[in-house]
Amino acid sequence: MRFDEFFNICGQLLPGMTVTLEIFFFTLLFALPLGMLIAVGRMSKYKIIQLIFRLYIAIVRGTPLMLQLLVVYFGPYYIFGISISSEYRAYATIIAFSCNYAAYFAEIYRTGINSIDNGQREAAYVLGYNRAQTFFYIILPQVIKRIIPAMTNEFVTLVKDTSLAFCIAYAEMFTEAKRIAAASTSMLPFFAAGTFYFVFNALVAFIMKKAEDKLNYYD
């Protein structure tokens, strides 16, 4: 394998790599806080609210992300007759990914919150903390520490799932790699794309491990 050819292909993949990174970061930007809201709704003391969010989580987790992408992208036209522009592909991708991953993050948040001993809440109330202060100062830091391994798995999966954007012709890296491979009749573009996914996932895992180590004082 000629390294100059490999780096040339990496240069051609650069626009697709940028799109892949955008999908990843924008998904986290919206899905992380949305997941917390869903988790709060899922744990609501009101049964109807709890049921709505349980149903949402069940539907999102029980159907393929690719199907959700197609529904979000084609839905406005098929259901409401709204014309679809090429720019909408980016918005549809972020909406579908954010709604999908928020459901998974919600369950991770819920599991982490429920793992905290109730005695800590009672002790915080005795010390004069209100419910909001107890959650943000006492509960949440410990929850973050406990859910980092599960979150790392979801982040790694998200990096690979960005390739599903090809189903609505959104030109992320995998789509670009397929195009270049077809034009050059070579497997090298797929190797270059695979290298990027591997290195990026290794970086994500490294950063999350460092974050977990920083929170070891909660042990």
Side-chain angles (χ1 to χ4, degrees):
M1 179 180 67
R2 292 170 51 189
F3 285 102
D4 57 339
E5 183 181 0
F6 176 78
F7 288 119
N8 179 54
I9 289 175
C10 287
Q12 295 179 59
L13 286 175
L14 191 57
M17 291 179 184
T18 302
V19 173
T20 293
L21 291 173
E22 288 175 353
I23 296 172
F24 177 81
F25 287 114
F26 278 111
T27 297
L28 294 185
L29 178 65
F30 295 114
L32 287 171
L34 180 58
M36 180 59 73
L37 290 175
I38 295 171
V40 171
R42 172 71 174 78
M43 300 170 67
S44 172
K45 63 181 180 180
Y46 300 105
K47 293 297 182 181
I48 184 63
I49 296 177
Q50 187 181 126
L51 179 61
I52 290 171
F53 284 102
R54 287 181 65 181
L55 183 61
Y56 172 83
I57 292 171
I59 292 174
V60 171
R61 296 175 68 191
T63 56
L65 175 54
M66 185 181 294
L67 175 62
Q68 295 164 25
L69 276 164
L70 294 172
V71 169
V72 172
Y73 182 63
F74 291 109
Y77 177 73
Y78 289 151
I79 300 173
F80 304 107
I82 301 174
S83 60
I84 300 172
S85 65
S86 58
E87 291 80 8
Y88 179 62
R89 288 192 179 93
Y91 296 112
T93 300
I94 300 304
I95 291 170
F97 270 81
S98 298
C99 291
N100 178 277
Y101 272 85
Y104 289 91
F105 292 158
E107 287 297 271
I108 293 173
Y109 286 140
R110 185 177 66 85
T111 302
I113 293 171
N114 287 338
S115 70
I116 304 300
D117 187 86
N118 197 51
Q120 297 196 38
R121 296 180 177 85
E122 295 173 353
Y125 297 151
V126 169
L127 292 173
Y129 287 84
N130 59 36
R131 292 186 64 180
Q133 290 173 325
T134 299
F135 180 76
F136 285 107
Y137 296 141
I138 306 297
I139 305 301
L140 187 58
Q142 297 180 74
V143 168
I144 292 173
K145 168 66 172 68
R146 297 187 183 192
I147 66 176
I148 282 180
M151 282 295 194
T152 301
N153 289 336
E154 292 300 321
F155 289 0
V156 168
T157 301
L158 173 58
V159 173
K160 296 179 288 186
D161 277 352
T162 56
S163 62
L164 293 176
F166 85 93
C167 71
I168 58 172
Y170 190 40
E172 42 64 61
M173 188 177 60
F174 180 66
T175 303
E176 289 296 314
K178 287 199 305 176
R179 180 185 62 78
I180 298 170
S184 63
T185 62
S186 169
M187 289 294 293
L188 198 54
F190 292 130
F191 178 77
T195 301
F196 170 80
Y197 287 124
F198 177 79
V199 171
F200 188 41
N201 271 330
L203 180 61
V204 168
F206 175 78
I207 292 173
M208 296 299 285
K209 181 63 170 62
K210 286 295 183 181
E212 185 176 6
D213 292 341
K214 285 286 186 181
L215 294 171
N216 274 339
Y217 57 81
Y218 283 110
D219 289 338

